[in-house]
Amino acid sequence: MKIIRSIKAMQAYSTSLRRKGRTIAVVPTMGCLHEGHLTLVDTAKKHADSVIVTIFVNPTQFGPKEDFSKYPRPLRRDMSLCRKRGADAVFTPSAEEMYGTGATTTWVEELRLSQGLCGKSRPIHFRGVTTVVAKLFNATLPDVAVFGKKDYQQAKIIQRMTRNLNFPVRIVLQETVREKDGLALSSRNSYLSQDEKDAALSIRRSLLSAKSAILKGEKSTARIRKSIVNGITSAGGRIDYVEIVGADSLEPLRKISGKTLIAVATFFGKTRLIDNIEIQNRFEKD
Ligand code: PAF
């Protein structure tokens, strides 16, 4: 497995793969890899001949009070996991390599899908994500890029950005990978104490019971929202948001109709966790 640190070397490697007729899939990550990321690698292998994993803790997507400096960076372990999972290369640039030494004055910003959900409490987050993903596409020159649906809003924004900017990259989305007990895998789970982890299971429980209520015909988003908020707060979670939105528009719904997404962001202790559930409503004509 190749380990590449400079953009020039990355572009040269991808160009050489292309000359050999190989297709390329990229899996962008911030490292601290878990089974969720490694499943993205498996998916990437199904869609292209060569797989590049990028590991870069992107400073521009963290707010001033967020966990950029304490974000875990077990790089050697991550590289060995990538090697074992069959990645062809890891691209792990420094912040200076990606952004230069001065402040960035060029941004890639999606202005519609980024407004709600996590965009409200993390106002600069998605601008940082779209900017770095555009940069990573320019560095790795992929045919395919794979993202997880746990970060559903992020995935939709990246799909939109890719289309809007005509990147010749096919975006593949992968289902959320969970612990056996239902907790969505996240690098931030490592911040949780055992008690907080147990309490955080209320997220998945509440989302599943909301889904089952909707599939039985419940249409009131206010009632659904209330029961999710109760389920999570009674377990000790603090709500950032619970939103019921159209799965493609990400616009809030007053009544359930069409393909729906319920997305939540909660704090357990100091740790912010997100999760979501997609629901294909079968009661369209009621
Ligand atoms: O999902 C992530 O880990 C990051 O937001 C991404 C897409 C790698 C951009 O830094």
Side-chain angles (χ1 to χ4, degrees):
M1 188 184 76
K2 271 199 159 332
I3 294 165
I4 302 173
R5 293 198 161 81
S6 85
I7 293 169
K8 267 216 161 88
M10 186 65 251
Q11 289 166 335
Y13 177 68
S14 289
T15 304
S16 77
L17 290 175
R18 286 177 169 284
R19 285 214 184 97
K20 289 180 203 146
R22 291 179 75 85
T23 54
I24 301 168
V26 67
V27 178
T29 81
M30 297 206 302
C32 194
L33 303 180
H34 50 63
E35 192 52 32
H37 297 111
L38 299 171
T39 310
L40 296 176
V41 174
D42 297 341
T43 302
K45 282 165 81 173
K46 291 189 191 130
H47 287 271
D49 304 320
S50 301
V51 174
I52 299 162
V53 178
T54 73
I55 299 180
F56 178 62
V57 184
N58 173 36
T60 65
Q61 69 189 73
F62 288 79
K65 291 188 184 140
E66 293 182 356
D67 54 345
F68 174 67
S69 55
K70 79 164 188 175
Y71 199 86
R73 292 162 168 86
L75 189 57
R76 286 171 76 97
R77 174 189 156 275
D78 285 348
M79 297 221 216
S80 128
L81 289 171
C82 289
R83 183 176 295 117
K84 282 190 198 132
R85 209 60 170 233
D88 296 271
V90 166
F91 176 52
T92 179
S94 65
E96 192 176 335
E97 177 68 10
M98 284 300 273
Y99 285 102
T101 44
T104 293
T105 53
T106 302
W107 296 97
V108 174
E109 193 168 12
E110 193 287 326
L111 294 172
R112 172 76 57 80
L113 302 173
S114 311
Q115 302 303 317
L117 306 176
C118 289
K120 276 193 198 146
S121 47
R122 306 185 74 190
I124 60 152
H125 175 67
F126 289 118
R127 181 184 78 164
V129 170
T130 41
T131 300
V132 84
V133 170
K135 283 168 167 288
L136 291 170
F137 284 178
N138 284 334
T140 57
L141 309 173
D143 300 281
V144 175
V146 189
F147 295 90
K149 282 194 191 173
K150 183 178 82 68
D151 297 300
Y152 194 96
Q153 184 179 18
Q154 164 174 287
K156 287 284 170 187
I157 291 168
I158 290 169
Q159 264 181 336
R160 178 72 61 92
M161 173 202 77
T162 303
R163 203 165 62 231
N164 286 170
L165 297 184
N166 306 324
F167 278 110
V169 179
R170 187 159 58 86
I171 306 296
V172 172
L173 302 188
Q174 187 200 271
E175 294 306 320
T176 303
V177 180
R178 300 178 180 281
E179 310 259 15
K180 277 204 188 77
D181 57 18
L183 186 65
L185 295 191
S186 162
S187 306
R188 291 190 170 99
N189 291 354
S190 65
Y191 301 153
L192 297 169
S193 68
Q194 190 55 49
D195 283 353
E196 289 166 348
K197 244 184 166 177
D198 293 343
L201 299 182
S202 60
I203 304 174
R204 179 69 173 161
R205 248 193 336 261
S206 310
L207 289 176
L208 283 173
S209 84
K211 177 171 181 169
S212 117
I214 292 171
L215 292 179
K216 283 184 192 136
E218 174 64 273
K219 290 240 173 292
S220 159
T221 54
R223 267 198 302 269
I224 297 163
R225 187 179 177 284
K226 197 166 167 201
S227 84
I228 297 170
V229 169
N230 284 343
I232 294 172
T233 51
S234 62
R238 184 161 59 79
I239 303 290
D240 178 359
Y241 66 76
V242 172
E243 297 258 19
I244 303 170
V245 298
D248 292 318
S249 69
L250 305 186
E251 297 285 341
L253 298 176
R254 298 187 68 213
K255 276 198 170 300
I256 298 294
S257 104
K259 195 174 168 200
T260 301
L261 178 83
I262 309 180
V264 306
T266 57
F267 286 90
F268 285 86
K270 287 193 175 132
T271 306
R272 186 174 181 277
L273 299 177
I274 59 171
D275 202 352
N276 64 73
I277 197 162
E278 281 176 296
I279 301 148
Q280 187 64 62
N281 179 24
R282 289 183 296 176
F283 289 84
E284 220 52 295
K285 293 192 186 96
D286 284 3

